C-alpha cells in the first residue's frame, strides 16, 4: 500500500483542515501546524464541525468520528513535523508564503525521503522544489474543496520530482485516501483550473459588460447546462481573491487574454468583496456565508446552497453595489 503513516499539514484553513480530516479518517496520525493559537483553535473547530456533519449524515459512526478526531493534533509548533512521512503545504495561494513553508519543512522534517507536497492550485511546483535542498521529494497534490466530499486529486510532478516520490504520493492518494488521481504536467492551472478559470473569468466579463445580471448568468448555467453552481456563485465560493491569484499565475505563464483577471474582479478584491467568506461578492450571503474557501488557496468547490441575494442590474463597467 504505502509507507506513509504520519502526515503533517501546514495550514488549517478550509483546505488544510479538510486534508487533515481525510488523512485521519484513513487511519493516519496527523499533525497540523498553524501560525497562531487563534488560527489553530479555529482550525480545530472547523475539523470538529466537519466530522460532526459526517456523523450526523451517516457517513461516519460516532465511534469513527471520535477516532478520527483523536488522530489529529493542531499545534503552533513546527517542530512537531520532524517525524512526518508526508507533509502537505496548504497555505495561501501566494508564492512567497509557500516558499517560506517549504524552507521550514525542509529544515524541520528529518526523514530525508519524506514526501513534501504542495496543494497549490496554480503555481508551478518547480519553483517550490528548486528552492529547497531535496527537490526530488517535492510534488503537487492538489485536493478539491470540500476535501472530504470531492474525490479528485491532481498529482503534479515537477521536472525534478523523483519517480519514487510520484509512486508513493499516488499510492497514498489513491489507496489510502481512496481518491481518484489524475496526473498533470507542471503547468500553471494543471488540468481543472486551466479549464475552469477561463470559464469563471468569462462570466465576470459578461457581468462587467452588463450582458446579463449575476443571477441570470448563474441561472443560465445551472438550469441550461445542469451545473450544480453558476460560475459567479462558484467564484464567490472559491473566493474572488483566490480566483484572481490563480488567474494572475496562469496569465504570467501563458500570456493568453482569457487568463487575464478582468478589471471588475480586481476592483471587487480591492473593495474586500471576496465572496462567501466576507458575506458579499457577486451575490450577498448570510452572516456565516456557508462553505466559503478561507485563507488557503486550493481546489474548486462544486456544491453549495443558493445565494441569499444576487448583485444585478449593473451597467457596462459598473461595480456591484
Amino acid at each position: 500500500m504505502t509507507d506513509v503513516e504520519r502526515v503533517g499539514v501546514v495550514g488549517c484553513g478550509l483546505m488544510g483542515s479538510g486534508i487533515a480530516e481525510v488523512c485521519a479518517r484513513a487511519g493516519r496520525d496527523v499533525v497540523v501546524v498553524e501560525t497562531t493559537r487563534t488560527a489553530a483553535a479555529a482550525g480545530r473547530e472547523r475539523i470538529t464541525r466537519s466530522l460532526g456533519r459526517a456523523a450526523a449524515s451517516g457517513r461516519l459512526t460516532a465511534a469513527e468520528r471520535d477516532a478520527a478526531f483523536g488522530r489529529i493534533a493542531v499545534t503552533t509548533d513546527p517542530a512537531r513535523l520532524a517525524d512526518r512521512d508526508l507533509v502537505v503545504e496548504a497555505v495561501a495561494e501566494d508564492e512567497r508564503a509557500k516558499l517560506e513553508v517549504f524552507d521550514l519543512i525542509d529544515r524541520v522534517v528529518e526523514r530525508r525521503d519524506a514526501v513534501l507536497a504542495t496543494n497549490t492550485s496554480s503555481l508551478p511546483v518547480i519553483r517550490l522544489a528548486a528552492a529547497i535542498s531535496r527537490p526530488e521529494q517535492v510534488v503537487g497534490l492538489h485536493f478539491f474543496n470540500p476535501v472530504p466530499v470531492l474525490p479528485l486529486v491532481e498529482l503534479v510532478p515537477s521536472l525534478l520530482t523523483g519517480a519514487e516520490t510520484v509512486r508513493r504520493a499516488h499510492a497514498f492518494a489513491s489507496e489510502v485516501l481512496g481518491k481518484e488521481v489524475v496526473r498533470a504536467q507542471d503547468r500553471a492551472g494543471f488540468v481543472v483550473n486551466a479549464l475552469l478559470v477561463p470559464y469563471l473569468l468569462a462570466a465576470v466579463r459578461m457581468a462587467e459588460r452588463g450582458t446579463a445580471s449575476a443571477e441570470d448568468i448563474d441561472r443560465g448555467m445551472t438550469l441550461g447546462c445542469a451545473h450544480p453552481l453558476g460560475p459567479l456563485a462558484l467564484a464567490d465560493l472559491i473566493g474572488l481573491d483566490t480566483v484572481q491569484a490563480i488567474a494572475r499565475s496562469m496569465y504570467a505563464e501563458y500570456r493568453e487574454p482569457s487568463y487575464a483577471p478582468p478589471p471588475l474582479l480586481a476592483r471587487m478584491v480591492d473593495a474586500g468583496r471576496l465572496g462567501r467568506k466576507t458575506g458579499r461578492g457577486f451575490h450577498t450571503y448570510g452572516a456565516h456565508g456557508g462553505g466559503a474557501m478561507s485563507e488557503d488557496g486550493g481546489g474548486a468547490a462544486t456544491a453549495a446552497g443558493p445565494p441569499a441575494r444576487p448583485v444585478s442590474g449593473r451597467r457596462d463597467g459598473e461595480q456591484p453595489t
Side-chain angles (χ1 to χ4, degrees), residues 80-149:
R80 293 284 300 276
L81 298 173
D83 65 347
R84 301 293 97 178
D85 304 311
L86 163 70
V87 178
V88 182
E89 167 273 312
V91 300
E93 193 67 4
D94 176 83
E95 185 171 345
R96 179 175 297 180
K98 291 180 183 294
L99 286 169
E100 290 176 356
V101 170
F102 269 85
D103 177 66
L104 172 69
I105 61 180
D106 189 28
R107 289 183 282 109
V108 169
V109 176
E110 294 175 352
R111 179 172 172 177
R112 294 308 298 174
D113 67 344
V115 177
L116 309 180
T118 175
N119 185 55
T120 182
S121 53
S122 62
L123 294 172
V125 177
I126 188 62
R127 294 183 188 169
L128 306 176
I132 67 171
S133 67
R134 34 182 156 172
E136 68 281 0
Q137 306 308 130
V138 178
V139 68
L141 279 179
H142 180 211
F143 294 82
F144 290 79
N145 172 44
V147 180
V149 176

Side-chain angles (χ1 to χ4, degrees), residues 31-36 40 44 73-78 80:
V31 168
V32 190
V33 175
E34 258 295 356
T35 54
T36 67
R44 190 179 294 107
V74 185
T75 179
T76 59
D77 181 8
R80 293 284 300 276

